Amino acid sequence: MQCQFCKKETVDKIFYINMSGTIYQIPVCNQCLQKRWQTAVAAGQAEEFHKRTGWRPGQQEPRHLGDQPFPELAVEGLRTRRRLKALHFQLDEAEKVENYEEAARLRDDIAVIERKVYSHGN
């Protein structure tokens, strides 16, 4: 997944932002996140930035890929797709660090979920 702003391949954070009832997924690297924060602070919009993202420097990590920020709004198919995306991301990371046992476990988990999805048509 690419950073929304600089298009780097490595994304550090994923934000789900609800704007006017539409949920947007914003992948962002740490460098761009810090730049966006500084821009918001300079414009006097730090609190608005915090409201939209739920993040500010020094705070606990924001949402990650696969998290469900609006679980009561997410239908089953959306939750399944988010889970699959998260597992694929974790699989890529496990392969990068050559953790083959974890990668094999993740491939098995993905296969189980995909069999369910494709057999039910979700």
Side-chain angles (χ1 to χ4, degrees):
M1 183 171 284
Q2 290 183 340
C3 174
Q4 179 83 21
F5 304 103
C6 70
K7 307 301 183 207
K8 278 197 306 190
E9 290 296 324
T10 304
V11 174
D12 299 302
K13 314 282 186 274
I14 303 292
F15 292 98
Y16 294 96
I17 299 174
N18 185 344
M19 297 181 87
S20 302
T22 302
I23 299 172
Y24 296 94
Q25 179 177 324
I26 311 291
V28 63
C29 67
N30 260 336
Q31 209 172 16
C32 289
L33 181 60
Q34 293 298 329
K35 285 180 189 175
R36 298 290 166 201
W37 173 256
Q38 291 166 359
T39 302
V41 169
Q45 297 292 318
E47 198 54 41
E48 181 65 24
F49 184 92
H50 176 66
K51 281 183 196 174
R52 282 192 181 179
T53 64
W55 180 87
R56 68 176 80 217
Q59 192 177 17
Q60 206 173 17
E61 288 294 307
R63 299 176 198 116
H64 292 280
L65 184 64
D67 288 352
Q68 298 176 15
F70 311 103
E72 68 280 356
L73 300 178
V75 294
E76 183 61 34
L78 177 59
R79 287 194 303 262
T80 301
R81 286 190 300 274
R82 284 183 182 169
R83 180 73 183 132
L84 276 172
K85 248 184 194 182
L87 289 172
H88 280 288
F89 181 78
Q90 292 170 3
L91 175 61
D92 290 344
E93 293 301 308
E95 289 172 344
K96 283 180 189 174
V97 296
E98 298 180 0
N99 185 348
Y100 299 117
E101 290 176 10
E102 178 71 5
R105 186 190 64 76
L106 289 165
R107 269 192 297 277
D108 293 344
D109 291 348
I110 291 168
V112 168
I113 294 171
E114 285 179 342
R115 269 195 300 273
K116 286 181 191 176
V117 168
Y118 295 133
S119 67
H120 295 296
N122 286 337

